[in-house]
């Protein structure tokens, strides 16, 4: 994908739908499990266009992410507080 071409319709790197039709906020048995793809995308943000990165940030604000690991929760709390 050429990020300099404004006519290119960018797709969500997780669900592969056009950004305005992204399915990543929807869950349940009617939607495929994209957790592995989501993890790989988040690990390699440098491969995305600026619009795709903005899209991932939008999704992360809406996902209810929680951690079973106490250290990860501590790290998250530090990040939220701006430390």
């Amino acid at each position: 994908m050429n990020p300099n071409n404004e006519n290119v319709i960018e797709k969500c790197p997780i669900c592969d739908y056009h950004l305005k039709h992204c399915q990543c906020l929807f869950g349940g048995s009617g939607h495929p499990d994209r957790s592995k793809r989501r993890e790989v995308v988040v690990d390699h943000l440098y491969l995305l266009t600026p619009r795709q990165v903005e899209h991932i940030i939008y999704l992360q604000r809406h996902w209810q992410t929680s951690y079973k690991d106490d250290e990860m929760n501590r790290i998250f709390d530090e990040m939220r507080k701006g430390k």
Side-chain angles (χ1 to χ4, degrees):
M1 178 178 304
N2 182 355
N4 298 323
N5 185 348
E6 294 179 14
N7 295 322
V8 172
I9 297 175
E10 292 184 89
K11 293 183 176 184
C12 172
I14 298 171
C15 70
D16 202 36
Y17 280 79
H18 295 171
L19 292 179
K20 65 182 178 179
H21 299 293
C22 174
Q23 300 293 300
C24 291
L25 292 180
F26 308 106
S29 60
H31 296 274
D33 179 7
R34 296 184 177 105
S35 58
K36 289 183 180 181
R37 185 162 181 87
R38 174 179 161 176
E39 185 176 345
V40 171
V41 166
V42 171
D43 285 345
H44 299 282
L45 294 173
Y46 64 92
L47 294 172
L48 305 181
T49 67
R51 279 189 69 207
Q52 288 174 315
V53 172
E54 287 177 26
H55 178 71
I56 297 301
I57 291 169
Y58 167 81
L59 292 173
Q60 287 179 334
R61 284 189 178 116
H62 290 84
W63 287 330
Q64 299 296 317
T65 303
S66 60
Y67 304 101
K68 294 178 183 177
D69 183 291
D70 289 338
E71 184 177 1
M72 291 175 80
N73 281 311
R74 182 188 54 74
I75 294 167
F76 175 63
D77 287 339
E78 288 175 1
M79 291 178 67
R80 245 190 355 208
K81 293 175 184 174
K83 291 184 177 182

